[in-house]
Amino acid sequence: MSDYYQQLATRLKERFSTQIAATNVELSELTVELPREQLLSVCRALRDESEFAFEQLIDLCGVDYLEYGNGIWSGPRFAVVYHLLSVKNNHRLRLRTFVDGEVPMVPSVIDVWNSANWFEREAFDLFGIVFEGHPDLRRILTDYGFVGHPFRKDFPLSGNVEMRYDPEQRRVIYQPVSIEPRMLIPRVIRQDHRYQEQNSEGGE
């Protein structure tokens, strides 16, 4: 199978030589990296040209590379990853485009694959990635008044606010987090009968 995807990678490089940044085949999976400026034109060609015929977008997600590789990552902080499927040709493709900036932005692919709608809303909600051209870009998993983007790696584990029902106001309200932040330290077990039995057997 990896040979097939190596051949597909070669065809993609020949067809999009000036538009894609890199191709990589690992574990029988093909990943193509491309700049955000080329995203829409490449996606349309991948959908419409019969050699590729990626008629389905089966998943889209955001990635936060903050502190990736123990903090030695020097590329853009965010990426958007697209998983494509060609039923006609029975092959799959992963696209990745990197985005950066205080407000990371990338073009919406809704006009190419309508299934991107809720996926893009999810990536916006959880990572704060803005999809330009999305017709209804709003939160989908958190509350509309939620502060921050919870899948970013610098988002506090306990969150910024908590919700509770206020009987006097007769509605749900936000308030500062009431739990104390704590560090999770792995517990080291020094006394364990299993190890004692092994040690005593070894001593004999």
Side-chain angles (χ1 to χ4, degrees):
M1 183 60 74
S2 60
D3 290 341
Y4 175 85
Y5 281 108
Q6 289 287 1
Q7 295 171 10
L8 180 58
T10 300
R11 298 203 302 273
L12 286 166
K13 284 188 282 189
E14 291 172 352
R15 169 61 180 85
F16 303 105
S17 58
T18 62
Q19 294 175 280
I20 61 177
T23 62
N24 182 45
V25 178
E26 284 188 17
L27 302 175
S28 297
E29 295 183 350
L30 171 58
T31 302
V32 171
E33 293 182 8
L34 69 164
R36 62 183 299 278
E37 296 79 14
Q38 304 295 336
L39 179 66
L40 290 182
S41 61
V42 171
C43 285
R44 287 193 183 97
L46 289 173
R47 180 196 63 185
D48 296 338
E49 296 181 12
S50 60
E51 182 180 11
F52 308 116
F54 288 103
E55 63 270 78
Q56 291 189 24
L57 170 72
I58 59 176
D59 190 25
L60 179 159
C61 65
V63 181
D64 183 358
Y65 285 94
L66 182 68
E67 298 181 0
Y68 176 72
N70 295 322
I72 61 174
W73 176 256
S74 60
R77 175 174 174 180
F78 298 100
V80 182
V81 179
Y82 308 79
H83 293 269
L84 310 181
L85 170 66
S86 171
V87 176
K88 174 186 174 183
N89 295 323
N90 191 27
H91 54 212
R92 297 171 183 265
L93 176 65
R94 180 189 297 114
L95 296 179
R96 179 171 58 180
T97 184
F98 287 98
V99 290
D100 211 348
E102 187 173 341
V103 180
M105 303 181 75
V106 67
S108 171
V109 296
I110 283 184
D111 289 340
V112 185
W113 299 287
N114 190 53
S115 60
N117 191 336
W118 283 14
F119 291 138
E120 291 182 347
R121 285 180 59 187
E122 181 182 52
F124 163 71
D125 190 357
L126 301 180
F127 291 94
I129 299 170
V130 174
F131 293 85
E132 301 172 280
H134 191 290
D136 187 23
L137 193 62
R138 56 195 167 98
R139 293 186 183 272
I140 191 172
L141 294 176
T142 63
D143 185 77
Y144 294 152
F146 191 86
V147 178
H149 303 282
F151 274 19
R152 289 190 173 190
K153 291 185 178 177
D154 54 1
F155 187 83
L157 188 62
S158 58
N160 295 310
V161 295
E162 64 185 30
M163 298 170 58
R164 70 172 178 86
Y165 179 76
D166 189 319
E168 295 181 0
Q169 302 184 47
R170 301 168 114 188
R171 65 181 180 88
V172 172
I173 64 170
Y174 288 99
Q175 65 183 33
V177 175
S178 59
I179 62 174
E180 301 226 353
R182 61 192 178 104
M183 295 289 293
L184 295 177
I185 302 174
R187 180 183 175 193
V188 178
I189 301 176
R190 300 191 182 278
Q191 300 295 327
D192 189 311
H193 66 87
R194 293 172 299 174
Y195 299 113
Q196 292 175 353
E197 290 174 359
Q198 290 175 0
N199 290 336
S200 61
E201 291 173 2
E204 295 175 0

